[in-house]
Amino acid sequence: MIYLDNAATTQMYTEAVDAMIPFYTKCYSNPSEIYNFASKSRKAVNDSRKCIAEIINAEPSEIYFTSGGTESDNWAIFGALNLMKDRGRHVITTSIEHHAILNTCRYYERLGCEITYIKPDSNGIINVHDIEKAIRPDTVLISVMMANNEIGTIQPIKDIGKIASKHNILFHTDAVQTFGHLDIDVKDMHIDMLSASAHKCHGPKGVGFLYIKNGIDIPGFHLGGKQERTLRAGTENVAGIAGFGTAANIINQRLEYNTEYITNLRNYFINRVLNEIKYVRLNGDTVNRLCGNASFCFAYLDGEAIQIQLDLYDICCSTGSACNAGIKAVSHVLEAIQVPEEYIHGSVRFTISEFNTIEEIDYTVDKLKDIVAKLRGMSLEYKLHHK
Ligand code: PLP
């Protein structure tokens, strides 16, 4: 099997799996208990908190463990709107956010909040001046993802953070695709809240965190017990948090090496595809791009058909368009960057990790070439345009 869908989820580090097991077997105590048996669970949670805080230049008291990126995103918006309700109900975000942000924004729109969705340029980059122009006296939150999950575009987060800070507006960033993959410094980047998820950086599924800068008193999202300094009720996922801390520590140590290794594989992959296949475009920015992301659109083809054909060779990738009950749903991200009509349905995203090899990339491109040729041979649309 060749796994090229690392933006969807990643293979866990074995060290992270090993770090989790004792908390299911021998040290299964609830970390909130005061007896000695609970001290190992408590220590594991605190060690992970400390390690994660250091990676983003935060304080341990600013890290709140959650069930993942979705919960962290939901909480950031809920928290900001509630904390700032006397000042206003206007939020600025972008049209290319993950649905964890977009659907939350739509929910609050139905409750009377106003949301401005900033559009990116054709490379998927958000213009900082567009953000500044959208600011109003009642703006209480700016939420812009650090990098896009479909096309890998990295946003000018530090510049956006500066603007938010200048106007005294809370700034949240969804860093689910970047934690462990990019250098993040919440202080230098003027970030007030940041969402991350363990399973995107070789940790377990179902655990993440929300960084909340000290002094920003957003209310808790889960109501119940007093866990996570009363802000996130519910018994901690001790094993998951231990696995997350271990994975975060490993990936952070490998950051420089991984970035170079994965970028080289990615560039080799992109060059082969663009040189050896006709009528294909690379989506997103060529420079400000996550090192593992290679998102393409193949003209006159259906991305899902390519994905299914690749699956027959045990190659895993993903597509931006899906066919739902016979209706072609186009990715909101590809729509936002205005991918031309003949290309937009043929999107396929390959996302590379440190576990991939050049042999796997070669095999994938070879199969992709055959599949594209075969599908185009059957495509009426392609034949119409290339008589
Ligand atoms: N935000 C982004 C940018 C993502 O890519 C994802 C997952 O794909 C999420 C949020 C949701 O994260 P989780 O799966 O941990 O809930």
Side-chain angles (χ1 to χ4, degrees):
M1 193 265 294
I2 297 178
Y3 187 76
L4 292 170
D5 199 16
N6 289 281
T9 198
T10 54
Q11 179 185 338
M12 275 187 74
Y13 288 134
T14 48
E15 293 91 332
V17 178
D18 292 345
M20 293 175 73
I21 290 168
F23 299 101
Y24 291 121
T25 53
K26 293 194 193 97
C27 312
Y28 50 82
S29 67
N30 187 322
S32 298
E33 297 302 340
I34 56 163
Y35 40 71
N36 193 35
F37 180 45
S39 61
K40 278 203 178 129
S41 302
R42 209 162 33 242
K43 184 173 179 321
V45 172
N46 288 336
D47 286 351
S48 288
R49 198 189 305 286
K50 194 163 170 282
C51 166
I52 284 167
E54 263 172 36
I55 292 173
I56 61 169
N57 192 24
E59 301 302 319
S61 60
E62 296 174 315
I63 304 298
Y64 296 84
F65 288 111
T66 65
S67 63
T70 301
E71 183 189 326
S72 301
D73 283 347
N74 281 217
W75 185 11
I77 297 176
F78 163 89
L81 282 169
N82 276 283
L83 176 69
M84 308 300 287
K85 59 181 181 305
D86 293 337
R87 176 163 149 187
R89 304 181 86 193
H90 176 238
V91 174
I92 299 170
T93 188
T94 80
S95 58
I96 57 167
E97 298 295 308
H98 188 270
H99 284 112
I101 291 288
L102 290 180
N103 286 343
T104 310
C105 286
R106 285 187 192 121
Y107 172 81
Y108 286 109
E109 269 179 315
R110 289 196 293 276
L111 295 184
C113 297
E114 284 185 68
I115 318 282
T116 301
Y117 300 92
I118 305 293
K119 289 199 176 88
D121 67 14
S122 59
N123 286 341
I125 303 277
I126 297 296
N127 186 325
V128 181
H129 302 297
D130 290 344
I131 300 265
E132 191 158 27
K133 272 190 264 161
I135 292 175
R136 316 187 319 201
D138 60 340
T139 306
V140 292
L141 175 70
I142 296 173
S143 180
V144 177
M145 67 198 325
M146 197 170 279
N148 184 266
N149 46 303
E150 287 188 38
I151 58 173
T153 312
I154 300 169
Q155 301 301 342
I157 288 301
K158 185 172 171 177
D159 294 338
I160 299 171
K162 271 190 202 158
I163 283 170
S165 156
K166 183 172 111 188
H167 292 268
N168 200 19
I169 296 167
L170 290 177
F171 177 44
H172 166 254
T173 186
D174 174 341
V176 169
Q177 291 292 336
T178 54
F179 177 76
H181 304 282
L182 284 185
D183 237 335
I184 300 175
D185 182 329
V186 287
K187 293 193 176 77
D188 184 53
M189 294 171 151
H190 305 272
I191 296 166
D192 295 315
M193 291 186 281
L194 175 145
S195 306
S197 181
H199 73 107
K200 309 287 187 181
C201 58
H202 307 289
K205 293 167 184 60
V207 58
F209 71 85
L210 180 66
Y211 154 81
I212 309 171
K213 188 172 156 185
N214 277 337
I216 295 174
D217 294 326
I218 66 163
F221 187 50
H222 282 201
L223 307 180
K226 293 194 164 52
Q227 290 90 354
E228 296 298 280
R229 285 142 288 142
T230 75
L231 283 193
R232 201 280 184 177
T235 303
E236 296 86 344
N237 173 2
V238 180
I241 292 169
F244 189 8
T246 305
N249 186 33
I250 297 171
I251 202 165
N252 188 50
Q253 284 174 27
R254 294 188 189 167
L255 182 61
E256 208 175 312
Y257 175 83
N258 277 355
T259 304
E260 192 183 337
Y261 176 75
I262 298 168
T263 304
N264 285 340
L265 278 188
R266 196 259 337 251
N267 288 348
Y268 176 76
F269 186 27
I270 289 177
N271 288 337
R272 271 205 68 188
V273 170
L274 296 183
N275 290 332
E276 297 176 36
I277 302 179
K278 274 190 179 164
Y279 313 111
V280 55
R281 51 167 276 157
L282 178 71
N283 301 313
D285 200 80
T286 48
V287 180
N288 298 305
R289 180 181 201 99
L290 284 174
C291 64
N293 180 290
S295 162
F296 301 105
C297 277
F298 298 89
Y300 313 111
L301 292 181
D302 177 15
E304 226 175 15
I306 301 175
Q307 184 192 29
I308 291 165
Q309 291 289 317
L310 283 168
D311 189 36
L312 298 176
Y313 295 101
D314 241 357
I315 299 168
C316 305
C317 63
S318 115
T319 169
S321 62
C323 196
N324 248 330
I327 299 163
K328 281 257 155 30
V330 166
S331 140
H332 66 289
V333 177
L334 300 180
E335 224 164 31
I337 62 170
Q338 298 182 337
V339 172
E341 178 61 28
E342 67 272 28
Y343 280 88
I344 201 161
H345 297 288
S347 76
V348 186
R349 178 191 71 182
F350 300 90
T351 41
I352 300 167
S353 86
E354 62 184 273
F355 293 116
N356 293 119
T357 62
I358 191 128
E359 290 76 21
E360 290 182 329
I361 301 295
D362 272 328
Y363 181 79
T364 302
V365 179
D366 292 344
K367 293 301 169 209
L368 189 59
K369 279 167 67 176
D370 294 348
I371 289 166
V372 168
K374 181 174 125 186
L375 291 175
R376 282 196 175 140
M378 298 188 296
S379 160
L380 265 182
E381 226 184 318
Y382 181 76
K383 284 181 189 155
L384 261 171
H385 288 88
H386 299 90
K387 278 183 227 146

